[in-house]
Amino acid sequence: MTCAHPFSRVPLRFQVAPLWGVLSLCLFCGLTLPTSYSQEALPRRTPWLNSKLVDAPDPPLPYVLEQAFPLEFMGPISFHRMPDSSIFLVLEQNGKIFTFDSAQPTPEAHLLVDLNVTPPPHSEVSSEDGSKRNSDRNVQLFSLCFHPDYERNRFIYLCYITVGGGRDTDTHIARFQLLPGARPQFVVDSELEILTCDGGGHNGCTLAFGPDGMLYISLGDLTSPTPPDERDTGQDISDLYASILRINVDEVDDQAYQGGNYAIPSDNPFVDLENARGEVYAYGLRNPFRMSFDPATGELWVGDVGWEAWEMVYRVKPGGNYGWAIKEGPGDVKDQPPGPTPILAADIALNHAEAASVTGGMVYRGDRYQDLRGTYIFGDWITRKYWAASFDENRITNLREIALSPVKPICFEVDSDGELLVLDYNSGNRAGSIYRFAPNPRAREERQKFPEQLSATGLFEDTWEHSPADGVTSYSLNATMWKDGARVDYLLGLPNN
């Protein structure tokens, strides 16, 4: 079965795999009955009354996610706290930006701007007579960040894409003014276009200012999933794609891409390399979806959405080559000319039995949960799992799953106390909201002991002979998974009637 992340468009192939090493309990077996059977002719089933399978083999995870504010949004894509403030901005993918004050006893969300009603100047399409029209050009939002000197200049930076209007999709990085107040004012006409490039899928864009005052921009390969890296851009640093860019938005020089309003820092890794784009800070990334700087060390972390088999997390180094599309994490993808620097291994690589569309998180520096302090916390948009990674200067020292929740993480942020928040993308008709981590009450409950031996499961009348107990039925699969020569017994037990 294949499904797709609406932002990364990553294919996911679910596979049924044996659980707990020895015992495989199949819930959806695809058994085929002879077509001559009618419902009346089916033999009456014997219920399985001797099950000893209680609780679960693993202890409850230590955390759950609980709603932080009584607010709902449709298709929220990212959220951001204003500097030194309790006011948040929430971006919906459909072009709307909302604001709310988290310090209020009952926060209320207010529409700040709808960029499909009041479009930015550079999103519009020129008509033959030179006038502007935007009726068939759609604005979609991805990310936002505040200038380090926001308190003085009131500058924010926005990534949005434009679709339609008889043109291909474009990705825009633009500066706007946001005037503060109990209800901030977004000045649409203040737009200054910083950087624009073609393409909009797989752009995974996150904007973040580093501790050096430079603006970092994550861009994916800007193509559909199949075939992988259709532009062959992953290892090519003569363009801006599949890369993390580093630019100086406080200056302008004539080396900027297509006359953009920025300068290329002189200490960027490839400024002196012939035919290379000087903006490129790191490359070989398929769809770098959400990145953040560790407030304590200044290290840059990014989650990279994989293709067929792996999800990756990297601590980004200047000049780092992260393999796409020669590699997908530890796996091989396709032959293409390699980039100018060696391919680096992922700090974290999760196969698609564990994750399917990673969302990069943040290093937790809060005080509420000491067992998480100093760990990198991230999640997966498809499996809704959350992990905490401990690390030293060189490597990940421990990776543990900390929560499993219905919440589909699309963005992480911190509140004014440094406590971690998670933005949930809505699923189906359910609106998205903002959540926080909380201790799992089940972790303190007394648990029944899950059986550790086949003889204690109640599956067998004779364990040595593997003779099924009453109510347990053996079955076989017409097309089995590759098992490297191992033999698998498939059993189906249905309790009661």
Side-chain angles (χ1 to χ4, degrees):
M1 182 167 83
T2 299
C3 68
H5 188 306
F7 313 111
S8 64
R9 297 204 294 260
V10 58
L12 169 65
R13 287 168 172 78
F14 294 101
Q15 57 184 2
V16 179
L19 299 177
W20 314 317
V22 176
L23 178 63
S24 177
L25 300 178
C26 181
L27 300 179
F28 301 97
C29 307
L31 300 177
T32 302
L33 296 174
T35 55
S36 59
Y37 277 163
S38 67
Q39 186 166 350
E40 292 76 14
L42 288 172
R44 187 167 183 82
R45 181 180 63 81
T46 302
W48 180 30
L49 302 177
N50 195 36
S51 172
K52 302 296 190 298
L53 295 173
V54 294
D55 212 306
D58 297 315
L61 296 172
Y63 291 94
V64 295
L65 277 85
E66 62 180 20
Q67 191 170 11
F69 309 107
L71 301 171
E72 293 185 339
F73 305 92
M74 294 308 298
I77 183 73
S78 69
F79 72 131
H80 312 270
R81 185 171 60 87
M82 295 180 65
D84 299 320
S85 171
S86 58
I87 295 176
F88 284 83
L89 303 182
V90 179
L91 280 60
E92 290 186 346
Q93 192 184 16
N94 61 15
K96 295 178 182 178
I97 303 177
F98 291 85
T99 181
F100 72 92
D101 188 345
S102 63
Q104 296 299 316
T106 306
E108 295 183 6
H110 303 281
L111 181 64
L112 182 67
V113 67
D114 184 343
L115 295 179
N116 282 306
V117 174
T118 310
H122 289 99
S123 72
E124 297 177 340
V125 180
S126 295
S127 302
E128 292 182 3
D129 61 2
S131 63
K132 297 288 187 177
R133 60 183 173 83
N134 196 75
S135 59
D136 51 0
R137 194 82 164 136
N138 180 257
V139 173
Q140 296 180 3
L141 298 177
F142 267 81
S143 184
L144 178 151
C145 69
F146 294 86
H147 191 281
D149 200 14
Y150 171 77
E151 293 296 325
R152 181 184 62 83
N153 59 33
R154 306 306 182 189
F155 290 158
I156 64 170
Y157 294 80
L158 189 67
C159 172
Y160 67 90
I161 66 172
T162 48
V163 183
R167 291 166 51 187
D168 292 334
T169 302
D170 298 318
T171 294
H172 304 258
I173 312 299
R175 189 189 79 192
F176 296 87
Q177 275 199 309
L178 180 71
L179 305 182
R183 293 192 187 182
Q185 179 185 350
F186 188 98
V187 185
V188 177
D189 291 340
S190 68
E191 182 183 22
L192 175 69
E193 195 167 34
I194 301 297
L195 169 65
T196 299
C197 57
D198 65 319
H202 268 193
N203 67 2
C205 189
T206 301
L207 308 180
F209 279 95
D212 54 6
M214 300 296 110
L215 178 62
Y216 291 73
I217 304 167
S218 67
L219 287 178
D221 60 19
L222 276 73
T223 59
S224 59
T226 303
D229 193 15
E230 190 173 8
R231 299 174 188 249
D232 285 334
T233 183
Q235 295 293 302
D236 181 3
I237 61 169
S238 68
D239 60 36
L240 305 181
Y241 307 129
S243 301
I244 291 173
L245 314 180
R246 178 177 181 260
I247 61 176
N248 182 354
V249 294
D250 295 325
E251 298 180 9
V252 177
D253 65 26
D254 58 4
Q255 301 301 311
Y257 179 74
Q258 295 183 354
N261 288 296
Y262 63 88
I264 298 175
S266 60
D267 58 347
N268 271 9
F270 301 115
V271 290
D272 297 323
L273 185 64
E274 187 177 2
N275 296 324
R277 287 302 323 176
E279 297 92 337
V280 174
Y281 182 75
Y283 65 101
L285 297 154
R286 179 180 180 269
N287 187 15
F289 198 81
R290 300 302 175 225
M291 64 182 181
S292 64
F293 287 93
D294 182 345
T297 67
E299 290 182 306
L300 177 60
W301 293 79
V302 62
D304 191 22
V305 178
W307 182 52
E308 293 283 357
W310 296 94
E311 302 297 311
M312 291 73 63
V313 172
Y314 300 107
R315 263 188 296 187
V316 178
K317 296 178 171 58
N321 176 3
Y322 297 100
W324 183 253
I326 295 174
K327 304 284 288 184
E328 177 199 16
D332 297 322
V333 179
K334 64 187 261 187
D335 292 327
Q336 61 180 199
T341 53
I343 293 175
L344 302 176
D347 289 87
I348 300 170
L350 298 169
N351 65 48
H352 276 193
E354 298 181 88
S357 186
V358 70
T359 298
M362 307 181 87
V363 176
Y364 174 68
R365 298 294 178 183
D367 296 322
R368 185 173 298 165
Y369 303 121
Q370 290 300 310
D371 63 314
L372 298 180
R373 185 171 171 80
T375 65
Y376 177 72
I377 297 176
F378 67 104
D380 188 77
W381 196 86
I382 295 291
T383 65
R384 293 102 185 247
K385 294 180 179 179
Y386 296 81
W387 295 268
S390 304
F391 55 92
D392 59 23
E393 293 181 358
N394 301 310
R395 63 187 180 89
I396 302 297
T397 57
N398 183 54
L399 179 66
R400 63 186 177 114
E401 189 177 340
I402 60 170
L404 177 64
S405 168
V407 173
K408 303 176 73 170
I410 201 66
C411 186
F412 291 77
E413 180 59 284
V414 293
D415 64 17
S416 53
D417 295 324
E419 296 302 323
L420 204 58
L421 299 170
V422 182
L423 181 63
D424 172 38
Y425 185 81
N426 59 294
S427 304
N429 294 323
R430 182 175 63 84
S433 189
I434 297 170
Y435 290 77
R436 61 165 54 98
F437 288 94
N440 185 354
R442 285 204 63 227
R444 296 189 294 270
E445 293 177 357
E446 185 175 342
R447 302 174 61 235
Q448 293 181 275
K449 185 176 177 60
F450 187 86
E452 296 178 355
Q453 296 179 315
L454 285 176
S455 58
T457 64
L459 283 166
F460 300 105
E461 180 178 327
D462 186 318
T463 307
W464 183 258
E465 297 292 336
H466 285 190
S467 302
D470 284 347
V472 177
T473 303
S474 298
Y475 68 94
S476 61
L477 299 179
N478 290 329
T480 59
M481 292 175 59
W482 173 70
K483 299 186 293 292
D484 198 21
R487 196 194 84 184
V488 177
D489 293 337
Y490 296 94
L491 301 173
L492 174 68
L494 299 175
N496 304 324
N497 292 315

